[in-house]
Amino acid sequence: MNKIALITVTKKGVEQAKKIEKIYTKAPIDIYTMEKFSDESTFTIKGSFKEQVGEIFSEYKRIIFITAVGIAVRAIAPYIKTKDVDPCVLVIDEGSDFIIPILSGHLGGGNELAQDISQSIGAYPLITTSSDISGKIAVDTLAQKINGKLESLESAKKVTSLIVAGESVSIKVPQNIEDSNPSGVIVVSNREKIEITQIIPKNISIGIGCKKDTPKEKIIEIIETTLKSLNISTKAIRVMGTVDIKKDEVGIIESAKYFNVPLKIISRDEIKKIEDKFETSDFVRKTIGVGAVSAPCSILASTKKGDILIEKFRKDGVTISVYEEETKNG
């Protein structure tokens, strides 16, 4: 579950934070406050406030300040990167009358969180994004709804501006988005200039095995080359999986970090249940106790609804498998 960091710097703020923690039960909340207001149920902000906020900013995907908006803005300013990686940041006043998303309202889910919390605590959500005010969906919100990745933030912004302005914008998807994936699109229009953007579904599960101490650069190169051969973007990778005996393999761990995806560790007991469905190796079975690694891991790390695109690709001591999950709308 996605934890929420709740930051406050006053005694009254701490009281409000504890009330919110008690009322809003949909996600665990970690309360951060100054040492003089801290107790056993809170985390203490020690040293530089801005530095502590920086650590929280990198650790949490959802952050709430019970402070003045100016304090929150100045605290997070040095750490803001881009809307597709920044956490959502909200501000609640000490009376819990208003809740304001100030960062990553769409992609980070800030607007949705504000509306959700407001219903629990009786605050009024102040949503300032133009698409939400006009009751129209933004491209980045659409990407979030289908767990997709925007190919370009700039083109998404341009298309969203057309939506907000009331222009005609078509969404071109396969008739059944769960089993089809277009390689090309034909747009029929008499407009001289058409803004086009792309949402990349994050629906690829990579199963991986490798020789001990294989460098991350080699693993990354093989994954990129393999997906390129399938005409699939690396941005579509949602998860990577490997066998438990490789849980400390630095090259695999660092490769998952490079693609900014979780690494699921699959037990050999789980693999044994399905390994007979794949090509197996007596040498691998004799070495680690199972006859296949990458293919079972690609499926067991996934939603298990989809198709395996590459069962096994070997190169330079690295074996990878590629599994494509169904993409659901909603």
Side-chain angles (χ1 to χ4, degrees):
M1 192 177 291
N2 220 343
K3 275 190 175 184
I4 297 172
L6 206 161
I7 304 169
T8 186
V9 294
T10 65
K11 182 179 179 181
K12 188 176 180 181
V14 173
E15 292 171 357
Q16 288 299 110
K18 289 182 177 180
K19 286 181 183 177
I20 293 171
E21 182 185 26
K22 186 176 181 180
I23 297 170
Y24 188 75
T25 58
K26 293 184 180 181
I29 295 176
D30 291 339
I31 300 172
Y32 288 83
T33 190
M34 314 308 289
E35 190 168 10
K36 59 183 175 180
F37 305 123
S38 187
D39 58 31
E40 68 280 353
S41 66
T42 64
F43 291 89
T44 302
I45 297 174
K46 296 180 180 178
S48 167
F49 177 69
K50 278 191 178 180
E51 288 179 7
Q52 181 80 70
V53 169
E55 292 177 13
I56 294 170
F57 198 87
S58 64
E59 183 180 346
Y60 292 81
K61 292 296 184 183
R62 302 191 289 178
I63 302 169
I64 300 174
F65 285 82
I66 301 183
T67 64
V69 172
I71 292 174
V73 170
R74 285 191 290 271
I76 67 173
Y79 312 108
I80 296 174
K81 294 176 183 175
T82 59
K83 64 193 298 183
D84 58 336
V85 298
D86 290 333
C88 71
V89 180
L90 285 65
V91 176
I92 302 177
D93 66 289
E94 287 189 349
S96 289
D97 295 315
F98 302 99
I99 180 166
I100 312 168
I102 62 171
L103 188 68
S104 292
H106 286 154
L107 280 181
N111 292 352
E112 187 175 350
L113 180 62
Q115 291 168 335
D116 195 28
I117 291 179
S118 69
Q119 291 175 4
S120 297
I121 68 174
Y124 184 83
L126 293 176
I127 310 299
T128 59
T129 44
S130 56
S131 57
D132 293 274
I133 292 170
S134 61
K136 297 171 181 176
I137 192 166
V139 174
D140 47 4
T141 300
L142 180 60
Q144 182 196 43
K145 293 293 184 184
I146 68 165
N147 191 29
K149 175 76 174 178
L150 289 172
E151 191 277 331
S152 165
L153 290 174
E154 186 59 31
S155 65
K157 184 168 65 175
K158 290 177 180 178
V159 173
T160 296
S161 70
L162 294 176
I163 295 171
V164 172
E167 297 285 343
S168 175
V169 175
S170 298
I171 300 177
K172 303 298 182 183
V173 295
Q175 286 187 341
N176 184 350
I177 196 171
E178 292 188 358
D179 353 87
S180 214
N181 204 7
S183 298
V185 176
I186 298 173
V187 179
V188 180
S189 172
N190 66 357
R191 300 300 178 93
E192 183 176 333
K193 184 179 180 182
I194 300 175
E195 297 292 353
I196 299 174
T197 191
Q198 179 182 357
I199 296 172
I200 301 170
K202 292 179 73 65
N203 65 340
I204 296 296
S205 173
I206 301 288
I208 186 163
C210 70
K211 288 182 178 178
K212 183 176 173 60
D213 298 328
T214 300
K216 68 174 183 180
E217 290 79 10
K218 180 58 63 180
I219 295 172
I220 291 167
E221 177 190 350
I222 291 171
I223 291 174
E224 289 178 335
T225 302
T226 304
L227 289 183
K228 188 173 183 179
S229 73
L230 295 167
N231 192 27
I232 291 175
S233 169
T234 56
K235 294 176 183 177
I237 301 174
R238 185 186 66 80
V239 66
M240 289 171 58
T242 194
V243 64
D244 51 14
I245 201 170
K246 289 291 181 181
K247 66 180 181 179
D248 297 319
E249 190 68 46
V250 175
I252 294 177
I253 294 170
E254 292 299 319
S255 297
K257 288 181 180 177
Y258 174 83
F259 291 113
N260 194 29
V261 298
L263 175 65
K264 285 193 177 180
I265 306 301
I266 312 298
S267 73
R268 280 164 284 181
D269 287 339
E270 288 182 86
I271 291 174
K272 286 177 183 177
K273 295 174 184 177
I274 65 168
E275 68 171 326
D276 59 349
K277 298 178 181 178
F278 309 101
E279 176 191 343
T280 58
S281 163
D282 291 337
F283 173 77
V284 174
R285 181 176 285 109
K286 193 177 294 184
T287 305
I288 67 172
V290 291
V293 171
S294 64
C297 285
S298 72
I299 293 177
L300 292 169
S302 75
T303 60
K304 303 179 184 65
K305 291 183 179 180
D307 295 296
I308 195 157
L309 302 183
I310 292 182
E311 181 174 327
K312 189 178 291 186
F313 176 77
R314 300 188 190 93
K315 184 179 179 182
D316 298 337
V318 177
T319 305
I320 73 166
S321 302
V322 181
Y323 186 85
E324 184 178 46
E325 302 168 338
E326 291 180 351
T327 301
K328 293 187 180 295
N329 188 358

